[in-house]
């Protein structure tokens, strides 16, 4: 967690896929302060998106992020997708769903609340 | 209303055998019956993801992802006991490390919201086609292999 599902109609070039993975991972970590170890991205192909969208990003993120942070995340994802896939921003859409950290097990333990990642990682690695 | 959870298990193609899936399905059923109610019968759906379509920490990943919904309002004590039971069973059946799976046990309503948002990325007409295609895939796979199987690509 977070888990981002990137949907497109056509398969993407491997280089575009990797660029999107890097952009989303980088944006998530720099905006939320979460470590990259937590960021998962999967691609779904063959999806006829609504409103003639080129790409849709569905993110399950830990609850507790402010509206400002969520808005920054959505905006960063749209900007990156638009640049990497050379399409208008209006054809890129993002939905974010909040999931309480205590409802998820990752790395063998219940996930930490946002902001408590370093102590959690130290315990896991220690 | 009776609680009928759909457990969505995403895994990378080729990383789980049919026998492992069968054993995992059995243990998931037992976990629900022991933690919730002996009459709860979850439907487990296996979603395959091609190896070059999943990433973690910016690199290709072989991690599996399970979403096993629980009734709304389930206490965290019960939820955590359920989560650790699924994790133990996953490691025991697959012989893989705890780092290779992410398990979510959301409230049932959140799981429905997730599935609904996932459908709504498509236009209304396409949603109908998607539901039809998915149902056909699931019924065919169930009759052929005894398991509900689908694919991340439509």
């Amino acid at each position: 967690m977070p888990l981002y599902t990137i949907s497109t109609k056509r398969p993407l070039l491997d280089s575009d896929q990797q660029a999107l993975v890097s952009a989303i991972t980088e944006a998530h970590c720099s905006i939320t302060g979460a470590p990259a170890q937590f960021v998962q991205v999967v691609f779904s192909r063959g999806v006829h998106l609504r409103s003639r969208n080129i790409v849709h990003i569905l993110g399950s993120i830990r609850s507790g992020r402010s509206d400002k942070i969520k808005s920054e995340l959505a905006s960063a994802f749209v900007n990156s997708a638009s640049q990497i896939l050379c399409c208008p921003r209006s054809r890129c859409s993002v939905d974010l769903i909040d999931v309480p950290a205590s409802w998820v097990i990752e790395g063998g333990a219940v996930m930490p609340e946002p902001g408590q990642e370093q102590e959690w990682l130290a315990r896991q690695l220690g | 209303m009776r609680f009928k959870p759909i457990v969505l298990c995403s895994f990378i193609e080729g990383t789980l055998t049919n026998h492992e899936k069968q054993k995992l399905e059995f243990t998931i059923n037992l976990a629900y019956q022991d933690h919730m109610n002996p009459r709860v019968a979850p439907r487990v759906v296996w979603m395959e993801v091609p190896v070059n379509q999943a990433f973690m920490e910016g690199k290709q990943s072989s991690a599996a992802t399970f979403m096993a919904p629980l009734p709304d309002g389930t206490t965290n004590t019960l939820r955590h006991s359920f989560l650790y039971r699924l994790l133990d069973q996953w490691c025991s059946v697959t012989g893989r490390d705890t780092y290779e799976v992410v398990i979510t046990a959301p409230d049932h309503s959140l799981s429905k919201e997730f599935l609904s948002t996932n459908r709504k990325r498509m236009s209304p007409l396409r949603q109908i086609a998607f539901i039809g295609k998915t149902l056909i895939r699931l019924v065919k796979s169930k009759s052929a292999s005894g398991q509900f199987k689908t694919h991340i690509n439509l």
Side-chain angles (χ1 to χ4, degrees):
Chain A
M1 181 84 51
L3 170 62
Y4 290 105
T5 303
I6 302 181
S7 302
T8 55
K9 182 167 185 301
R10 294 195 170 82
L12 300 177
L13 296 172
D14 284 350
S15 55
D16 286 347
Q17 251 190 203
Q18 187 59 58
L20 277 169
V21 169
S22 300
I24 283 177
T25 305
E26 161 65 23
H28 184 89
C29 296
S30 63
I31 292 169
T32 67
Q37 288 99 311
F38 291 146
V39 184
Q40 273 187 289
V41 181
V42 296
F43 290 87
S44 177
R45 302 167 173 172
V47 185
H48 293 266
L49 297 169
R50 67 174 186 253
S51 312
R52 299 175 65 208
N53 281 338
I54 305 287
V55 61
H56 175 264
I57 300 171
L58 171 59
S60 300
I61 63 171
R62 282 177 292 162
S63 301
R65 310 285 189 204
S66 66
D67 288 345
K68 181 172 175 287
I69 283 182
K70 287 192 265 188
S71 165
E72 282 178 38
L73 283 171
S75 178
F77 298 156
V78 165
N79 285 339
S80 298
S82 162
Q83 281 170 20
I84 293 164
L85 303 178
C86 300
C87 63
R89 288 170 44 90
S90 58
R91 295 284 178 82
C92 309
S93 63
V94 176
D95 283 307
L96 298 175
I97 293 180
D98 291 322
V99 180
S102 63
W103 294 3
V104 184
I105 272 191
E106 184 162 350
V110 172
M111 290 284 286
E113 296 299 326
Q116 295 174 4
E117 295 89 352
Q118 293 313 321
E119 297 93 316
W120 186 91
L121 280 172
R123 273 201 309 276
Q124 294 308 105
L125 300 171
Chain B
M1 201 166 66
R2 199 161 157 211
F3 174 59
K4 291 183 190 168
I6 293 175
V7 179
L8 188 59
C9 304
S10 305
F11 67 101
I12 305 300
E13 276 174 351
T15 58
L16 285 178
T17 64
N18 272 342
H19 183 59
E20 285 172 331
K21 282 186 268 182
Q22 204 175 3
K23 282 170 83 173
L24 282 168
E25 239 178 271
F26 180 72
T27 60
I28 289 168
N29 265 283
L30 278 184
Y32 269 101
Q33 286 161 9
D34 291 348
H35 286 79
M36 296 294 131
N37 179 324
R39 288 184 305 165
V40 173
R43 283 158 293 181
V44 180
V45 175
W46 298 96
M47 186 165 76
E48 285 190 325
V49 180
V51 69
N52 63 342
Q53 286 180 226
F55 298 81
M56 189 182 264
E57 203 180 348
K59 296 168 281 202
Q60 273 193 16
S61 160
S62 60
T65 308
F66 287 17
M67 182 171 71
L70 295 176
D72 285 10
T74 298
T75 63
N76 269 353
T77 309
L78 188 56
R79 196 183 302 268
H80 292 170
S81 159
F82 176 77
L83 279 166
Y84 280 108
R85 165 88 171 260
L86 291 185
L87 178 67
D88 284 347
Q89 293 301 326
W90 154 265
C91 294
S92 159
V93 169
T94 65
R96 292 169 67 187
D97 193 83
T98 53
Y99 283 87
E100 294 180 86
V101 66
V102 178
I103 307 173
T104 309
D107 272 3
H108 195 221
S109 55
L110 184 65
S111 142
K112 285 201 287 191
E113 183 191 338
F114 176 83
L115 295 174
S116 162
T117 307
N118 194 43
R119 271 196 312 275
K120 285 179 186 160
R121 65 197 159 145
M122 294 170 261
S123 65
L125 272 179
R126 291 291 182 180
Q127 287 179 44
I128 295 167
F130 165 72
I131 291 168
K133 190 173 176 177
T134 304
L135 283 175
I136 290 168
R137 268 183 182 173
L138 294 175
V139 169
K140 272 187 174 174
S141 64
K142 183 72 175 172
S143 64
S145 68
Q147 291 162 351
F148 289 118
K149 295 179 188 172
T150 186
H151 200 278
I152 195 160
N153 296 332
L154 305 185

